[in-house]
Amino acid sequence: MLNLIVITPFISALILTIIYLLNTKKENTFIYTLIGIASPVFITLLSLFTLFELINGVPTIHSTLFEWLHIGELNISIAFMADRLSVIMISFITFIGTLIHIYAAGYMRGDEGYGKFFAYFNLFMGSMLLLVLADNPIMMFIGWELVGLSSYLLIGFYHQESSNVTAANKAFILNRVGDFGFIIGISLLFISLEGSGFTFDTIKANIQLIDNERLSLIGFLLFVGAMGKSAQIPLYVWLPDAMAGPTPVSALIHAATMVTAGVYMVSRYSFIYSEIPDIGLFIAYIGAFSALFAAILASYQSDIKKILAYSTMSQLGYMFIAVGLGAYSSGIFHVFTHAFFKALLFMGAGAVIIALHHEQNIFKMGGLKKDLRVIYITMFIATLAISGIPPFAGFFSKDAILVMAFASENYLLWVMGSLTAALTAFYMFRLLFSVFHAKSEHKHELQNVSSSMTLPLVVLAFGSTTVGFLGLNEAYGGSSLFNNFLVLPDIELHITHEVEYMLGALNVLLAFCGMLLAYKMFATNAKETLPDNRVRKLIINKFYIDEIYTFIFVRPLLLLSSFIAQTLDPKIFDGAINLSVSGYHKAAYLFEQLQNGKVRYYALYVLVGISAMSLYMIYKLGVKL
């Protein structure tokens, strides 16, 4: 069954590609939609069936497709593993992925690349499932790279515009920087295990073979990969530009696939990070700084998709705080709840963009509450969820992370997380009020939004409201069902229920402060923030991080490339080759003179040769002339 879950999207992508390439101009919308959506529906059913098997007591499911490599101590099989961690991941990846596919059928209808889009989409799903279900680091890395390739294809989907191609290249190159650390970490892990096996099970069983210092280096290098894939400081700058792709792509990348891979990877290697708490604390601080930094940037953006992009980076920061502090289950729980409300927010934003004929500036919208009622209500629910307002899903998962930061006595992390919570409510309600409540200065002629785009919003709104109760802990009358099912090596810290209530109430109070500030500033008359002082100018220009990276990395590389292309290559490398070619050319000319086809010259050569041989023999025999 696991084989089918992984292979089906790849087969579907292959079939769609063949049909599309046979005639790129032919509109096979029905066939593309049928194949494109049938695949995620089928694997969702298989994933839920696998989940039920594990709920009913099956500890882990293994499945081997075939042996791929067997060279000395290196034995790698195309094999999959479904334990409680991976089965939770594939359940919501496939379910939410299916809803996004249905939504995409409406969003992309009429696009000339409709078939190609669904081929890429299915490839993306298959790559993420391969990454999650891999039973060894090599297979995980292959899925990891395929996810990067798929995102490159989808971000640059509208390749007719050079800016979109630039955005795709930026995402691809920055992810390769992180992947370089990731692959070195995997290689070092393999060497350190001394041939004792290279599946996750065998690595876990033999982890004591690696000394703590080397284990810290491995843990750090693996996290470098997560920094790139999950857009954390300093490898985050690709994420806002990735909004160049169609909105369903943004929903899939941000909610259910690519960016969550880093959090999943750290949780998959939890048996390593449990041994190296200092690296874990480093991860938590990177997460906290990323969360706060992205929330500040989101508060000054005007593009609806870029606000949500920075919001994703910020929420991922929360997840890394959790896994860095050893609360792996809380991190995965926030991945789970975030998938519902972030997919809803992106898909709602996409519906607004379609209704307004591809307008993305929130300050050119306004007053859409009555005209787009379903979209407004569902996005309002998602905004409450991401802002951490109870009883919506985001409250329970975010509260668990902040309680963990407080209980572990990392008060700076807790303060940064709490400030981020207030800012999250501010920038999300700033978006909601500006789009739906504020008076519009523009008369909108709205385009119809199809039911295939609005029905998934309703399903996700229901999920954003209810799935938080799966992780309800004892303080709120639950039994931590989600965490208990995962059985990850979480650090156990205990604080009284009274303190937990106080922390939860403080978070809600901070969120209401953010909401009230946003209401006062944007509910009636929303105006775009202008860079009219140094602080605003600095934030609106995103702290000039792109420009700094360009100055430090891009320009020196361009200068070096230019020097190689214009000087080193033609004058040194080509020069050496040209010199040898010239030597051969001159030698050929000389031989050409000898081989001139004239018999008398050949007779002369023979005579000279015989004379020379005769002189040599006379000399050797000592004959005196």
Side-chain angles (χ1 to χ4, degrees):
M1 187 185 300
L2 297 183
N3 298 344
L4 271 179
I5 292 174
V6 178
I7 291 171
T8 302
F10 286 114
I11 293 174
S12 173
L14 179 64
I15 294 169
L16 286 166
T17 303
I18 292 169
I19 296 172
Y20 178 74
L21 291 178
L22 284 175
N23 188 347
T24 57
K25 301 295 181 186
K26 189 175 181 181
E27 290 187 5
N28 288 315
T29 305
F30 176 75
I31 295 174
Y32 291 141
T33 307
L34 181 66
I35 298 172
I37 294 178
S39 167
V41 169
F42 178 61
I43 57 175
T44 299
L45 295 173
L46 293 180
S47 300
L48 292 176
F49 188 76
T50 309
L51 173 65
F52 288 134
E53 278 194 85
L54 267 71
I55 289 174
N56 289 327
V58 177
T60 307
I61 301 171
H62 289 275
S63 178
T64 302
L65 201 58
F66 58 86
E67 186 180 70
W68 178 34
L69 288 173
H70 192 175
I71 306 170
E73 295 173 344
L74 180 63
N75 185 1
I76 303 297
S77 296
I78 307 293
F80 309 110
M81 175 185 71
D83 60 0
R84 295 187 172 200
L85 173 60
S86 55
V87 83
I88 286 288
M89 290 291 294
I90 63 168
S91 298
F92 75 79
I93 288 170
T94 53
F95 177 68
I96 292 177
T98 300
L99 293 176
I100 297 173
H101 273 71
I102 295 168
Y103 172 89
Y107 189 95
M108 298 298 294
R109 187 170 292 276
D111 193 290
E112 61 180 15
Y114 189 82
K116 181 173 67 175
F117 176 84
F118 273 102
Y120 290 167
F121 233 36
N122 277 261
L123 176 66
F124 206 153
M125 285 277 288
S127 305
M128 189 65 190
L129 291 168
L130 174 61
L131 188 159
V132 171
L133 288 172
D135 93 324
N136 60 73
I138 303 294
M139 294 305 299
M140 175 189 256
F141 185 73
I142 292 171
W144 190 274
E145 289 301 302
L146 284 173
V147 165
L149 172 66
S150 309
S151 68
Y152 168 75
L153 295 171
L154 285 165
I155 292 168
F157 185 75
Y158 296 127
H159 55 83
Q160 295 83 357
E161 292 184 29
S162 62
S163 60
N164 296 339
V165 177
T166 303
N169 289 341
K170 191 175 181 181
F172 190 78
I173 293 167
L174 272 166
N175 271 279
R176 297 294 75 71
V177 174
D179 294 352
F180 184 66
F182 189 35
I183 196 167
I184 293 175
I186 293 175
S187 304
L188 198 56
L189 184 63
F190 174 73
I191 294 166
S192 305
L193 287 168
E194 302 171 3
S196 57
F198 207 52
T199 65
F200 288 117
D201 287 340
T202 56
I203 296 170
K204 185 179 179 180
N206 297 297
I207 200 66
Q208 73 281 355
L209 295 173
I210 308 174
D211 63 70
N212 199 264
E213 192 174 334
R214 180 171 287 196
L215 206 57
S216 296
L217 179 60
I218 291 169
F220 171 75
L221 289 169
L222 293 175
F223 179 64
V224 171
M227 282 181 189
K229 198 67 77 186
S230 296
Q232 295 294 284
I233 291 174
L235 301 178
Y236 71 93
V237 291
W238 65 271
L239 193 66
D241 291 358
M243 297 300 101
T247 302
V249 175
S250 308
L252 194 62
I253 288 177
H254 289 248
T257 54
M258 182 170 175
V259 297
T260 62
V263 184
Y264 170 76
M265 187 269 286
V266 174
S267 300
R268 171 55 67 200
Y269 286 108
S270 56
F271 55 87
I272 289 180
Y273 287 103
S274 299
E275 302 293 324
I276 45 174
D278 289 345
I279 298 297
L281 198 58
F282 170 74
I283 293 171
Y285 272 101
I286 289 290
F289 279 111
S290 299
L292 186 57
F293 182 73
I296 293 169
L297 293 181
S299 301
Y300 284 86
Q301 294 294 308
S302 55
D303 186 305
I304 189 170
K305 288 176 69 177
K306 289 194 174 181
I307 294 170
L308 297 179
Y310 281 116
S311 162
T312 300
M313 176 182 163
S314 184
Q315 297 302 308
L316 286 163
Y318 277 114
M319 298 166 200
F320 281 112
I321 292 175
V323 296
L325 293 176
Y328 304 104
S329 300
S330 298
I332 294 297
F333 185 43
H334 199 50
V335 172
F336 177 66
T337 60
H338 177 260
F340 284 87
F341 53 75
K342 184 49 61 70
L344 174 52
L345 285 168
F346 264 112
M347 290 155 75
V352 172
I353 291 168
I354 288 291
L356 293 179
H357 306 275
H358 297 280
E359 177 58 62
Q360 293 190 199
N361 189 326
I362 59 172
F363 297 106
K364 293 181 180 177
M365 299 177 183
L368 299 174
K369 184 172 67 172
K370 291 181 181 176
D371 296 319
L372 303 176
R373 185 166 292 278
V374 174
I375 299 169
Y376 166 67
I377 293 172
T378 54
M379 283 194 74
F380 186 64
I381 290 171
T383 304
L384 289 170
I386 197 173
S387 300
I389 305 299
F392 298 95
F395 169 74
F396 298 107
S397 54
K398 194 184 295 183
D399 185 65
I401 294 170
L402 293 174
V403 166
M404 181 64 191
F406 187 86
S408 63
E409 300 182 353
N410 289 293
Y411 298 119
L412 180 58
L413 289 177
W414 173 70
V415 170
M416 292 170 76
S418 299
L419 282 175
T420 304
L423 282 172
T424 303
F426 171 73
Y427 69 71
M428 284 309 307
F429 276 94
R430 170 180 176 265
L431 183 156
L432 191 84
F433 291 140
S434 300
V435 173
F436 294 104
H437 287 255
K439 291 178 182 174
S440 174
E441 295 179 354
H442 304 83
K443 189 175 181 181
H444 302 302
E445 292 183 6
L446 298 177
Q447 183 177 324
N448 183 44
V449 178
S450 66
S451 58
S452 69
M453 292 175 66
T454 52
L455 286 176
L457 303 184
V458 176
V459 177
L460 288 170
F462 178 76
S464 301
T465 309
T466 57
V467 295
F469 291 98
L470 293 173
L472 213 60
N473 62 21
E474 191 181 337
Y476 294 103
S479 59
S480 301
L481 186 65
F482 191 91
N483 291 11
N484 291 334
F485 177 75
L486 279 174
V487 201
L488 289 170
D490 294 322
I491 291 177
E492 295 289 339
L493 296 171
H494 297 285
I495 57 174
T496 63
H497 289 344
E498 288 75 15
V499 174
E500 202 163 337
Y501 295 144
M502 186 186 71
L503 293 173
L506 179 63
N507 293 332
V508 174
L509 180 64
L510 287 170
F512 273 114
C513 289
M515 289 166 57
L516 286 174
L517 183 61
Y519 180 81
K520 189 176 178 182
M521 294 176 67
F522 301 102
T524 52
N525 190 19
K527 295 287 184 186
E528 189 165 2
T529 309
L530 298 174
D532 50 5
N533 63 46
R534 288 185 179 178
V535 175
R536 286 178 183 162
K537 189 175 181 182
L538 188 66
I539 300 174
I540 289 171
N541 286 290
K542 298 168 282 184
F543 294 92
Y544 296 99
I545 298 296
D546 278 289
E547 287 78 5
I548 292 170
Y549 280 8
T550 301
F551 180 76
I552 296 175
F553 299 110
V554 179
R555 283 189 181 173
L557 282 172
L558 286 174
L559 285 173
L560 179 64
S561 303
S562 176
F563 172 72
I564 291 171
Q566 294 177 11
T567 305
L568 198 63
D569 198 32
K571 294 183 179 175
I572 305 297
F573 299 122
D574 285 356
I577 294 169
N578 290 338
L579 186 65
S580 63
V581 170
S582 175
Y584 281 112
H585 187 262
K586 287 178 179 174
Y589 178 76
L590 178 63
F591 288 122
E592 182 188 8
Q593 299 306 312
L594 296 174
Q595 297 287 334
N596 56 14
K598 295 179 179 176
V599 176
R600 55 185 176 178
Y601 279 92
Y602 295 159
L604 176 63
Y605 301 153
V606 171
L607 182 61
V608 171
I610 291 172
S611 300
M613 289 173 63
S614 301
L615 286 172
Y616 177 75
M617 291 175 67
I618 291 168
Y619 170 74
K620 292 299 286 183
L621 293 171
V623 178
K624 292 184 180 179
L625 298 175

